[in-house]
Amino acid sequence: MKYSEWNNLSDDDKKNTHWKHHPRIRIATIFSILFALVFIVFMLRVLQNRRVHVNRKPNRKEAFAIAKVFVNDELKQPGTANFPKNVFVADIDTANNNYNISSTVDAQDSTGHIVKSTWQVKLSYTGGDWADRKSWKLEDVKITK
């Protein structure tokens, strides 16, 4: 039933008409179904992305991202660390899941001065989600000023 038809009904007819035929109920039903479909498509895309992380080995940029986490753990003031965006060297042995990543970091030392340091991290990928630090075994971290 359309709103124009609903407005032309008498009060008794409106009371006797089944609630399913009310125009607002139909619009709410249509929007609820559309919302459910969009939500299902969104969740399928999210779950598909999670599977992509687990079923493949990390690339250079992903290894660099997790290496920065391990370097932050070694810094005296990790909140002041400033890493370069994409300036790093990666030596990857995918057969043995070994990753050697090196780059620089600007961070405050114990005296409060900003110091540029070079760092090198040796990691072994143990499997799972590359973004989870439990999926990595830290072999060695070297930070030199």
Side-chain angles (χ1 to χ4, degrees):
M1 181 177 294
K2 298 179 182 176
Y3 271 109
S4 60
E5 296 171 359
W6 180 260
N7 290 335
N8 291 336
L9 293 177
S10 66
D11 289 337
D12 290 335
D13 289 338
K14 286 181 183 178
K15 288 179 185 176
N16 294 331
T17 303
H18 196 270
W19 64 271
K20 289 183 182 177
H21 298 292
H22 194 283
R24 289 187 189 139
I25 300 298
R26 287 215 173 156
I27 291 173
T29 304
I30 290 170
F31 280 114
S32 298
I33 291 170
L34 286 175
F35 176 78
L37 289 174
V38 169
F39 181 75
I40 289 170
V41 169
F42 175 77
M43 289 306 295
L44 288 175
R45 298 295 290 172
V46 168
L47 293 175
Q48 180 183 14
N49 285 341
R50 176 170 286 166
R51 278 188 237 118
V52 168
H53 284 224
V54 174
N55 294 332
R56 65 176 179 80
K57 293 184 179 185
N59 61 27
R60 303 172 67 246
K61 289 184 179 183
E62 294 164 348
F64 177 60
I66 201 70
K68 290 190 294 187
V69 172
F70 287 111
V71 169
N72 255 342
D73 292 344
E74 299 293 321
L75 295 174
K76 295 197 187 319
Q77 296 190 20
T80 63
N82 186 14
F83 293 92
K85 296 268 185 222
N86 288 322
V87 182
F88 63 94
V89 176
D91 179 26
I92 300 173
D93 179 12
T94 55
N96 297 321
N97 290 329
N98 292 327
Y99 292 78
N100 295 326
I101 312 294
S102 59
S103 184
T104 60
V105 62
D106 295 330
Q108 285 184 354
D109 59 2
S110 57
T111 63
H113 293 64
I114 299 291
V115 177
K116 185 172 194 137
S117 304
T118 59
W119 55 267
Q120 182 178 6
V121 176
K122 293 181 183 179
L123 299 168
S124 293
Y125 178 64
T126 58
D129 186 6
W130 67 264
D132 185 10
R133 66 184 300 153
K134 294 177 184 174
S135 298
W136 297 87
K137 180 181 175 191
L138 180 63
E139 302 290 336
D140 188 28
V141 176
K142 293 180 186 174
I143 302 174
T144 56
K145 295 179 184 181

